[in-house]
Amino acid sequence: MAQVILFLQQLLNGLSLGSIYALIALGYTMVYGVLRFINFAHGDVYMLGAYAGFAITNVIYRFVPLDQYNAISRHTFVPIFVCTAIVMLGAMIFCAILGMSIERIAYRPLRDRPRLTVLITAIGVSLFLQNMTQFFVGAQPQAFKQLIPVRAIEGLGDLTVLSSQAAIIISTIVLMVFLRLIVMKTKIGLAMRALSVNPTACSLMGVNNGLVISFTFALGSALAAAAGILVAMDSPSITPLMGNLPGIKAFVAAVLGGIGNIPGAVVGGLVIGVLETMVEGYGFPQLRDAIAFGVLIIILLYKPTGLLGRVEREKV
Amino acid sequence: MDALLKVDRCTIRFGGLTAVSNFDMSIGNRELVGLIGPNGAGKTTVFNMITGVYQPTEGQIFLSGDRLNGLKPFNITAKGIARTFQNIRLFASLTVFDNVRAAFNLHLKHGPLHALTRGPKFKREEADIGAQAMDLLKIFNLDRFRDVMCKNLPYGDQRRLEIVRALATKPRMLLLDEPAAGMNPTEKGALMTLIEFIQEKFDISVLLVEHDMRVVMGICKRIYVLDYGITIAEGPPDEIRRNPKVIQAYLGE
Amino acid sequence: MSRARTILGIFLLFLFLFALTGERPFASHLAYYYDILINIGINVILAVSLNLVNGYTGQFSLGHAGFMAVGAYAAGSWSEHLSPGLVNFLAGSNGVLTFVLQPFPFLQPFAFPTAVADNLALIVATMFGGLLAALAGLAVGIPSLRLRGDYLAIVTLGFGEIIRTLILNIDFLGAARGMSVTGRYTNMFWTFGFAAVAIYVVLGLVNSTYGRGFLTVRDDEVAAEAMGINTTKYKVIAFVVGAFFAGTAGSLFAHYAGFLTPEGFNFFKSVDVVVMVILGGMGSTTGVILAAALLTILPEVLRALAHTDFVPAAQKAIEGVIPIHLPPLQGLLENRLILYSLLLIIMMLTRPQGLFGDLAGSRKRVTSSASK
């Protein structure tokens, strides 16, 4: 029985970690879908999302010191929810603008260049964002102030579910549903899907490709910002380099699910998250960070299209 | 007749789509054969299948009795099949001369260590390759462009350079993929003469995929017609010209 | 060409004689400049070898620091555990060289036997490091070279990180504590000697009909295969040769710095080398050598600049105009990655062929000199 509880506990921790990867992976996969390139700087957008949230939270604390609440109850729910929503939305808007600007300034002028040129630029953008953030806020970690009180939810027996974990999983589900609606039910979502199939035909049908690409960057960056804040709720120490590892792991998640495939990114993110917590929980904590790379290498060698991807042939 | 190239009931499928089905072909030594068909009929797929870019899903391919199935493109070139591409694929950062010399890599007797020690054997072979490459370029009147970057060549010359490069691999059989594409009638006329000349001068078989009927009918001794991946006719030009199935495939109902 | 070779030969002979004297006593006054020179040598090896992979063969690798780490740790542990015996055998108080040189007391002040033994220990360790790195290159190269472009970049990055994680978990190699290399044998002769060898090998390979295969792989893999070129073989060779020289650079670094940590070989170290190759111009050895030297010196210049009075003055001026309290501007100048990131972005937007990409002696000579 204890074994089962332990397994469920690991699974749950893995799902909450995996939700974060999934949110970041969506940005990689959507940008890859429309532009066929790896936005290396995406992990840093996630980092800046956390810092934006950090700044907004500090402002909110001047009016509402949220750490006065030490449990979620009927009375405290509304202020906590409203404040968190403000922080989240603020950071998402900030990152959406940031993502669009990056695309405008650094990637758009390279639209018809080899993909490698764009990748190198993206590496440059990533390093630039990290190091400029480091310049402005310093390299030392900052403590993200409490948004929701982190407590174990009662009434679940031996299973420990933290309120932050619940918040991560619930927020992720809500965001996924939103994304699904946007991609499947709106006109711009249709344009995104069309663009990923054939950009030329898409623009010939009167779609403004530049606008759709900007929108895709905005959407992906906003999701990354949400991930940044959700992570900070769970482990409130943020640094300018915090985007590196999650960024790469989320990329692996996107590849695992089949890059360019939106449900695939979610599945991939959850799988990576669960794998990591399992490996850590069952005795190999030092290998945790190597897992994603191992998965990436195996996937690319044996099933480069990912779990849900489709085959693309080179024309000769 | 002893076939040089024999394609034996080859089928190739991509997912659910059958691009070429039950394709048979036999080409003898020193034969000039054409492969025609409307757009999307599967001509280039047949080419890619013979040269190992795609593997046939069913069926076998032989070159003088050697089975080619499962070989990589470079193995097949080594066996003696050279090709050109429909969309020109020269080595863009190399000069005209180096494009041709690069193709001598196949029959090279020296390896990386010789390249580093630069002994007399290496120097002799390099000089020899240079001379052979120049000879080839001279035959095709491209020697004056020796040190020009190949991407700066006029279009027609790029096409001819691709043929020169293919010939530098010393093939027994040359596959030309739409060599007349984008040429005007005068250039096409010159190309026809050139292909016949190559066939005789280098004493090889040529398989020509072409869209332009006049070019194919003018020089090929035998023609295969593909439509929707199926061979609908095979024979000498006069027969093909009169074949109702062919007329229908090209002109519709 | 032959005059350049003679000059290079005389230069290396001079350095060799210099090396035999033990070198360090001379260097102590000029330690800072000596340090920069050695670093230039090591960076030239790294950049020129990565250029074979990224430039000439067109395979974008982001894992060069990983191979450097393999070389550094392999050579370092060789020196720690196996070399002392060798050195003692040659130069100890009863060593062979000490005995042979006894009749020549005027050589004593130059510490001649020790210098010979040290140099021997270095070359053996460096070859060992290079070979192990080449082996790692083979192990990484064969599976991952089936991938193209950006996927290959990420996978090589992954392999680099895996190598680092492995070292972090091997206690024998000091794990996170780091590893000391007591034998600090590296000198100018071997540093520039290996740099010269790396340049010679890369240029020698590329300037031949055999080596033109590398360039065809870069230009068009499908066409290369159709010309009978085994593209996979070429990619693997480029990878193995590149890894070998990265390993030797690692060994030289290990025997110079005297201390290794896994953090020293992280992703950012790979980025350093990539920036050198891109700034120099992918596929231009001359450009890449110049870029390696430039990018070794530039951070030093900027660091020196950061500590002049000019910077605080400029900060005051800026803060006078815009009412924001900025962090100390020295930070901008001292962080080489800010410079590198800007270089990457600006180069790609304006001159993707590299700063020196069009200079004489780069691509043109490479492709046409073997015929002369």
Side-chain angles (χ1 to χ4, degrees):
Chain A
M1 194 56 201
Q3 284 298 317
V4 178
I5 294 287
L6 180 66
F7 179 80
L8 285 178
Q9 184 68 55
Q10 303 287 7
L11 188 67
L12 188 96
N13 294 347
L15 287 178
S16 106
L17 178 66
S19 303
I20 303 291
Y21 294 152
L23 284 175
I24 309 174
L26 284 167
Y28 279 111
T29 231
M30 287 193 293
V31 166
Y32 194 92
V34 295
L35 285 182
R36 297 277 179 280
F37 101 99
I38 301 166
N39 180 14
F40 213 85
H42 192 59
D44 303 287
V45 172
Y46 151 86
M47 175 272 293
L48 282 168
Y51 272 96
F54 170 74
I56 300 170
T57 312
N58 285 353
V59 174
I60 286 181
Y61 262 70
R62 289 191 194 162
F63 308 100
V64 193
L66 284 166
D67 51 1
Q68 66 188 319
Y69 308 119
N70 44 28
I72 301 177
S73 66
R74 210 178 310 153
H75 306 293
T76 63
F77 180 77
V78 172
I80 288 176
F81 180 81
V82 169
C83 290
T84 308
I86 290 172
V87 172
M88 199 92 118
L89 280 177
M92 286 169 81
I93 290 167
F94 170 79
C95 281
I97 294 169
L98 176 75
M100 285 194 286
S101 322
I102 293 172
E103 192 270 330
R104 253 285 159 41
I105 296 166
Y107 303 154
R108 187 162 298 186
L110 301 172
R111 192 59 50 80
D112 299 318
R113 299 276 189 76
R115 270 167 23 178
L116 219 47
T117 310
V118 196
L119 178 77
I120 294 167
T121 314
I123 294 174
V125 172
S126 159
L127 292 173
F128 183 75
L129 292 179
Q130 274 169 30
N131 289 286
M132 285 313 273
T133 311
Q134 198 162 329
F135 168 67
F136 279 108
V137 304
Q140 69 285 0
Q142 309 264 359
F144 200 112
K145 291 200 174 107
Q146 172 192 313
L147 282 177
I148 60 171
V150 178
R151 299 282 178 277
I153 295 172
E154 286 166 28
L156 290 169
D158 292 333
L159 207 58
T160 319
V161 181
L162 299 175
S163 50
S164 55
Q165 288 179 321
I168 289 175
I169 293 174
I170 293 168
S171 313
T172 305
I173 292 171
V174 170
L175 288 168
M176 301 281 165
V177 171
F178 258 109
L179 181 70
R180 179 96 189 150
L181 289 177
I182 290 175
V183 173
M184 301 311 285
K185 301 283 179 200
T186 64
K187 227 173 160 179
I188 192 132
L190 181 65
M192 276 169 67
R193 282 180 287 144
L195 188 61
S196 71
V197 178
N198 187 337
T200 319
C202 188
S203 72
L204 288 176
M205 293 301 112
V207 174
N208 181 347
N209 281 7
L211 189 76
V212 178
I213 290 168
S214 285
F215 181 75
T216 310
F217 268 87
L219 208 56
S221 304
L223 291 175
I229 288 163
L230 291 171
V231 156
M233 281 182 193
D234 205 41
S235 48
S237 155
I238 59 176
T239 77
L241 298 184
M242 68 184 272
N244 277 345
L245 264 186
I248 294 214
K249 288 173 183 172
F251 168 73
V252 175
V255 174
L256 176 63
I259 193 143
N261 182 312
I262 290 178
V266 179
V267 173
L270 295 178
V271 170
I272 298 276
V274 170
L275 266 180
E276 271 190 7
T277 38
M278 292 287 175
V279 166
E280 193 176 19
Y282 286 104
F284 305 97
Q286 69 276 30
L287 290 183
R288 188 189 142 142
D289 288 340
I291 287 294
F293 292 113
V295 169
L296 175 71
I297 289 160
I298 292 167
I299 275 287
L300 286 180
L301 294 179
Y302 295 102
K303 198 168 180 342
T305 50
L307 295 176
L308 307 178
R310 48 167 205 259
V311 189
E312 266 181 49
R313 270 176 192 277
E314 193 190 359
K315 279 252 181 197
V316 175
Chain B
M1 185 182 62
D2 225 18
L4 176 65
L5 178 80
K6 187 160 172 51
V7 181
D8 186 18
R9 271 186 288 162
C10 278
T11 298
I12 185 161
R13 291 191 197 94
F14 301 120
L17 176 85
T18 307
V20 173
S21 97
N22 264 328
F23 184 72
D24 273 316
M25 179 183 252
S26 160
I27 298 177
N29 282 310
R30 289 182 287 282
E31 218 186 346
L32 210 166
V33 176
L35 175 63
I36 61 172
N39 272 334
K43 301 174 302 239
T44 297
T45 309
V46 167
F47 249 52
N48 286 335
M49 192 171 72
I50 296 173
T51 53
V53 178
Y54 301 151
Q55 290 298 328
T57 323
E58 285 160 27
Q60 310 189 66
I61 306 171
F62 298 94
L63 186 77
S64 334
D66 288 351
R67 197 159 174 270
L68 299 184
N69 294 52
L71 292 183
K72 291 265 170 63
F74 70 88
N75 296 129
I76 290 176
T77 311
K79 295 240 176 217
I81 299 183
R83 71 173 290 181
T84 65
F85 294 90
Q86 192 174 336
N87 46 340
I88 302 173
R89 299 188 90 135
L90 290 165
F91 302 124
S93 74
L94 302 187
T95 62
V96 168
F97 187 44
D98 284 336
N99 260 279
V100 181
R101 285 201 294 174
F104 280 94
N105 192 296
L106 178 60
H107 298 288
L108 208 56
K109 285 181 208 74
H110 74 249
L113 289 180
H114 297 100
L116 290 182
T117 51
R118 312 231 141 201
K121 185 186 159 201
F122 167 81
K123 285 195 174 131
R124 225 177 304 125
E125 197 179 5
E126 287 287 351
D128 187 42
I129 287 171
Q132 285 186 49
M134 274 319 277
D135 286 346
L136 273 176
L137 285 173
K138 268 186 201 133
I139 294 173
F140 291 85
N141 230 343
L142 287 166
D143 50 326
R144 64 207 151 113
F145 297 125
R146 184 182 186 274
D147 292 320
V148 175
M149 298 306 273
C150 69
K151 62 182 173 208
N152 298 333
L153 278 186
Y155 180 80
D157 288 331
Q158 288 196 17
R159 283 236 173 259
R160 287 192 298 140
L161 179 58
E162 244 203 343
I163 299 177
V164 177
R165 195 182 60 173
L167 288 170
T169 65
K170 303 182 179 127
R172 285 189 281 169
M173 162 136 214
L174 180 63
L175 273 59
L176 300 174
D177 198 349
E178 303 218 3
M183 288 187 171
N184 64 34
T186 329
E187 287 171 324
K188 281 179 184 168
L191 181 76
M192 287 163 69
T193 329
L194 184 74
I195 294 173
E196 284 184 315
F197 167 76
I198 290 170
Q199 194 274 318
E200 276 168 35
K201 163 99 187 166
F202 294 91
D203 200 24
I204 53 179
S205 306
V206 177
L207 173 61
L208 176 67
V209 160
E210 190 41 75
H211 216 67
D212 189 293
M213 283 295 202
R214 205 172 63 90
V215 174
V216 184
M217 296 291 175
I219 55 176
C220 294
K221 305 291 170 288
R222 211 149 52 79
I223 295 171
Y224 289 83
V225 188
L226 268 183
D227 192 24
Y228 293 110
I230 296 163
T231 316
I232 54 169
E234 185 226 321
D238 288 336
E239 243 174 64
I240 295 293
R241 200 172 286 141
R242 275 180 271 117
N243 188 317
K245 273 193 190 162
V246 177
I247 297 169
Q248 192 190 346
Y250 268 87
L251 300 176
E253 294 295 324
Chain C
M1 189 68 194
S2 71
R3 217 184 66 189
R5 231 179 263 173
T6 321
I7 294 171
L8 183 71
I10 292 170
F11 178 62
L12 285 178
L13 186 70
F14 170 73
L15 286 181
F16 182 63
L17 295 175
F18 192 39
L20 286 185
T21 63
E23 200 168 299
R24 289 207 185 243
F26 290 93
S28 62
H29 315 287
L30 301 160
Y32 178 66
Y33 298 100
Y34 187 82
D35 191 71
I36 292 179
L37 279 175
I38 294 276
N39 278 323
I40 287 179
I42 291 174
N43 283 335
V44 165
I45 301 174
L46 287 171
V48 166
S49 58
L50 184 67
N51 191 32
L52 178 65
V53 182
N54 288 22
Y56 289 115
T57 320
Q59 306 300 305
F60 200 79
S61 163
L62 273 178
H64 222 46
F67 299 126
M68 188 188 177
V70 172
Y73 274 91
S77 14
W78 174 284
S79 285
E80 281 301 275
H81 302 288
L82 295 171
S83 278
L86 177 76
V87 173
N88 201 33
F89 172 72
L90 288 173
S93 54
N94 291 318
V96 177
L97 280 172
T98 322
F99 181 74
V100 170
L101 290 172
Q102 233 155 22
F104 310 103
F106 59 90
L107 284 173
Q108 293 308 321
F110 293 109
F112 202 64
T114 325
V116 171
D118 285 358
N119 280 295
L120 211 62
L122 177 71
I123 176 87
V124 173
T126 303
M127 291 311 286
F128 178 67
L131 286 177
L132 269 200
L135 218 59
L138 188 70
V140 174
I142 288 177
S144 53
L145 288 174
R146 288 163 49 189
L147 307 166
R148 287 183 190 184
D150 33 12
Y151 275 98
L152 179 70
I154 301 282
V155 166
T156 49
L157 190 168
F159 270 117
E161 291 295 298
I162 286 178
I163 289 172
R164 204 168 57 83
T165 316
L166 283 180
I167 294 171
L168 267 173
N169 286 295
I170 299 177
D171 206 53
F172 173 71
L173 298 176
R177 301 185 305 278
M179 183 175 100
S180 313
V181 182
T182 339
R184 297 177 64 175
Y185 307 133
T186 299
N187 54 41
M188 295 235 265
F189 171 70
W190 289 115
T191 312
F192 285 98
F194 269 104
V197 172
I199 295 166
Y200 179 78
V201 167
V202 169
L203 283 182
L205 277 182
V206 175
N207 269 318
S208 65
T209 302
Y210 176 83
R212 214 157 283 121
F214 292 111
L215 308 179
T216 64
V217 172
R218 169 186 70 191
D219 280 0
D220 191 327
E221 276 187 46
V222 174
E225 287 260 325
M227 293 304 114
I229 290 165
N230 183 347
T231 53
T232 316
K233 195 177 90 189
Y234 273 95
K235 289 192 239 174
V236 170
I237 289 175
F239 230 68
V240 169
V241 173
F244 173 81
F245 283 110
T248 61
S251 162
L252 291 167
F253 174 77
H255 292 97
Y256 184 71
F259 190 71
L260 301 171
T261 57
E263 271 313 299
F265 304 99
N266 60 12
F267 170 61
F268 299 118
K269 181 66 201 174
S270 294
V271 168
D272 284 358
V273 191
V274 167
V275 175
M276 287 166 196
V277 171
I278 285 169
L279 187 70
M282 292 197 262
S284 153
T285 296
T286 325
V288 164
I289 296 168
L290 289 174
L294 185 70
L295 286 180
T296 316
I297 297 169
L298 204 56
E300 300 300 324
V301 173
L302 288 179
R303 193 175 300 157
L305 195 68
H307 293 286
T308 55
D309 296 337
F310 172 73
V311 178
Q315 177 141 23
K316 213 166 256 171
I318 294 171
E319 283 174 0
V321 180
I322 40 170
I324 306 174
H325 183 66
L326 288 172
L329 282 180
Q330 275 93 347
L332 275 186
L333 294 172
E334 283 181 337
N335 186 343
R336 71 176 198 290
L337 286 169
I338 291 182
L339 168 76
Y340 287 4
S341 65
L342 283 172
L343 271 177
L344 281 180
I345 300 169
I346 294 168
M347 290 301 292
M348 285 302 110
L349 289 173
T350 58
R351 259 186 92 81
Q353 74 272 37
L355 214 50
F356 309 105
D358 286 340
L359 279 184
S362 56
R363 195 164 292 171
K364 194 139 195 199
R365 185 194 277 168
V366 159
T367 52
S368 59
S369 74
S371 63
K372 278 164 199 159

